Amino acid sequence: MEFLLENILNLIGFLVGLGIGIMSLIGFRNTGSPTLFRLTIAFFSISLGFFVIWAGYMAEDFVTKSGNIERWVQTLGIAIQTVGYFFIAFSHSIKSFFPKSSYFRSVGILPLFLVSSVQLEHLFRSVSFILLAYGAIETMLSYLDNRNKGAISVSVGLALLALGEFLGWYSFVFPESILYSVSMVIKIGGLVALFIPVSKVPLTKIKFDEGLE
């Protein structure tokens, strides 16, 4: 049952990411925004990552029948998602590697213990967590500066994705728990939160970000 649930959640993640990627692509074509171009790459990458993992589950279910998804397939999917998270973080107000507030710099310390792991999957999850946590913090600080309501949804979305990645790593510590499924639900919720501001852009015809590199 848990295997089926994880399979379904990865499929949902693929479809949600693909849908947002298509919306971002339409927005980029209508506005020429470099930000939407980066978001298009980001969401297509995240969608592809979910698809790779889902395909791994399907291959296990119908071909190998080993009872577990191949580790290299899961690692590949997470690596592709990490690329997407980088572009999301880069698109949403990360102007420097560390947050402006010294109070929040300690957040970067939390996942560093993962870097020493010999498994690439842990490393990718660590990088994803750092990117998403910094993105959420920077976006919230941006909201405090200019009170842009869209920044709240973006910050919540990034925070949910970061939490999902952290719980995804923790599911390896407790493999018999439902933490992985919970992390998937949280990540899908994060994508939906990010969809809210993106969905408001595609129908506009105004050029913006023209002065940005």
Side-chain angles (χ1 to χ4, degrees), residues 52 69-77 121:
V52 168
I69 184 175
E70 293 289 338
R71 177 63 63 191
W72 70 268
V73 175
Q74 180 129 336
T75 300
L76 177 61
E121 184 173 340

Side-chain angles (χ1 to χ4, degrees), residues 176-199:
E176 301 300 324
S177 68
I178 62 170
L179 283 177
Y180 181 77
S181 297
V182 172
S183 73
M184 293 292 299
V185 173
I186 292 175
K187 287 168 66 175
I188 292 172
L191 290 176
V192 172
L194 290 174
F195 171 75
I196 295 175
V198 172
S199 65

Side-chain angles (χ1 to χ4, degrees), residues 3 7 52-74:
F3 186 89
N7 197 345
V52 168
I53 298 175
W54 173 75
Y57 276 103
M58 294 298 292
E60 190 285 327
D61 199 19
F62 293 102
V63 181
T64 62
K65 300 184 183 298
S66 62
N68 291 293
I69 184 175
E70 293 289 338
R71 177 63 63 191
W72 70 268
V73 175
Q74 180 129 336

Side-chain angles (χ1 to χ4, degrees), residues 11-189:
L11 178 59
I12 293 174
F14 161 66
L15 295 175
V16 171
L18 181 63
I20 302 175
I22 292 173
M23 292 288 287
S24 299
L25 179 60
I26 295 173
F28 167 68
R29 288 180 174 177
N30 287 340
T31 65
S33 167
T35 297
L36 284 175
F37 177 70
R38 291 190 291 268
L39 287 177
T40 300
I41 297 175
F43 287 116
F44 279 147
S45 295
I46 294 172
S47 176
L48 179 59
F50 276 115
F51 177 79
V52 168
I53 298 175
W54 173 75
Y57 276 103
M58 294 298 292
E60 190 285 327
D61 199 19
F62 293 102
V63 181
T64 62
K65 300 184 183 298
S66 62
N68 291 293
I69 184 175
E70 293 289 338
R71 177 63 63 191
W72 70 268
V73 175
Q74 180 129 336
T75 300
L76 177 61
I78 291 173
I80 296 173
Q81 289 180 13
T82 301
V83 174
Y85 295 146
F86 169 79
F87 279 100
I88 285 183
F90 184 62
S91 297
H92 287 298
S93 302
I94 288 191
K95 301 180 179 64
S96 60
F97 185 73
F98 290 99
K100 298 175 183 177
S101 172
S102 59
Y103 173 78
F104 290 119
R105 291 178 185 174
S106 59
V107 174
I109 300 175
L110 294 178
L112 289 183
F113 64 92
L114 303 181
V115 178
S116 61
S117 173
V118 296
Q119 296 189 31
L120 286 176
E121 184 173 340
H122 293 177
L123 176 61
F124 288 133
R125 287 190 184 277
S126 175
V127 172
S128 296
F129 178 85
I130 293 173
L131 289 171
L132 293 167
Y134 284 156
I137 293 169
E138 285 287 336
T139 305
M140 182 54 66
L141 292 176
S142 174
Y143 167 75
L144 295 177
D145 289 339
N146 54 40
R147 299 296 175 178
N148 182 356
K149 294 182 179 180
I152 297 179
S153 180
V154 172
S155 182
V156 170
L158 293 175
L160 288 175
L161 287 172
L163 178 60
E165 284 300 320
F166 184 79
L167 291 179
W169 172 83
Y170 227 68
S171 67
F172 291 100
V173 181
F174 302 101
E176 301 300 324
S177 68
I178 62 170
L179 283 177
Y180 181 77
S181 297
V182 172
S183 73
M184 293 292 299
V185 173
I186 292 175
K187 287 168 66 175
I188 292 172

